[in-house]
Amino acid sequence: MPDRPYVIDEMISAKAIAARVEALAKEITRAFRGTDKLVVVGLLRGSFVFIADLVREIDLPVEVDFLEASSYGDAMQSSREVRILKDLRGEISGRDVLVVEDIVDTGFTLSHVVNLLRSRVPKRLEVCALLDKPSRREVAIKATWTGFEIPDEFVVGYGIDFAQRNRNLPYIGAVHFTGDGA
Ligand code: PRP
């Protein structure tokens, strides 16, 4: 699959992402004002770029933690089975928690993670997702804050991969296959 030729067409520029990240961080700062500490949980691996930019714009005391969930592996289709590959280092019971996700597609990953984290009884748990593809949803779940709603395109960049490639693109691009069978 990764050897099938493709081009990447820019969908959301680095500049547009930066402006939206700043706006999201302002809303998050306002929503959690007064917290003693906000635990910002990044879902690996796709959220690593987004969380790095987002936390630097949040004007609150923050703790950063990571959880690794995987449902796609290197495939383009969700396996619908979410595996927790790495759990949080810290406790979240009684804490203010913000889950940071790169993209909500079928919703299986986010729903599984939110259920898991809610079972640990945080004081408050909200979700910030950079991208949302509502047309693909199979599980009813919505992030508290969404950066951009996008159409049903396979996207890469700004942390998001295609078979572990293209995570380092500074923008969000759509993968379009070229050549025979495109
Ligand atoms: C991707 C993405 C989201 C999830 C969204 O993760 O980062 O976590 O899929 O899809 P869903 O709403 O259909 O569950 P992936 O399993 O590819 O792992 P990665 O973050 O390490 O790339």
Side-chain angles (χ1 to χ4, degrees):
M1 185 77 74
D3 292 329
R4 225 173 126 194
Y6 63 93
V7 294
I8 298 169
D9 295 314
E10 184 173 293
M11 181 188 271
I12 308 170
S13 69
K15 202 171 158 197
I17 296 171
R20 190 69 187 117
V21 168
E22 196 184 327
L24 288 168
K26 280 209 174 84
E27 288 185 39
I28 291 163
T29 299
R30 209 174 305 130
F32 284 100
R33 180 153 293 135
T35 185
D36 55 334
K37 199 173 357 170
L38 177 63
V39 184
V40 182
V41 173
L43 301 196
L44 295 172
R45 291 178 253 179
S47 74
F48 78 104
V49 177
F50 181 37
I51 191 174
D53 284 346
L54 190 67
V55 290
R56 284 181 289 178
E57 298 287 343
I58 293 177
D59 188 16
L60 296 169
V62 300
E63 176 177 329
V64 175
D65 206 338
F66 292 97
L67 187 135
E68 184 167 9
S70 185
S71 59
Y72 284 77
D74 284 348
M76 287 178 81
Q77 293 283 330
S78 170
S79 64
R80 294 173 174 71
E81 275 175 40
V82 182
R83 289 181 300 146
I84 300 297
L85 304 178
K86 180 207 166 296
D87 206 340
L88 298 178
R89 289 280 294 275
E91 297 288 329
I92 57 161
S93 163
R95 312 287 303 278
D96 286 320
V97 177
L98 177 72
V99 175
V100 175
E101 176 62 303
D102 53 341
I103 183 165
V104 187
D105 191 309
T106 63
F108 279 102
T109 305
L110 187 58
S111 142
H112 184 91
V113 167
V114 164
N115 287 339
L116 173 71
L117 297 185
R118 283 205 195 286
S119 73
R120 296 175 187 179
V121 201
K123 182 171 156 204
R124 179 174 176 188
L125 185 147
E126 307 290 351
V127 177
C128 182
L130 181 68
L131 304 178
D132 188 6
K133 268 197 225 176
S135 61
R136 297 255 311 161
R137 199 72 90 254
E138 294 182 32
V139 180
I141 187 150
K142 197 163 172 31
T144 321
W145 296 281
T146 296
F148 302 90
E149 272 196 12
I150 61 167
D152 185 12
E153 293 256 27
F154 193 85
V155 291
V156 291
Y158 199 68
I160 302 171
D161 73 307
F162 173 31
Q164 304 310 327
R165 296 183 191 179
N166 310 122
R167 290 194 198 269
N168 56 330
L169 288 177
Y171 57 88
I172 299 286
V175 170
H176 292 137
F177 294 102
T178 57
D180 291 347

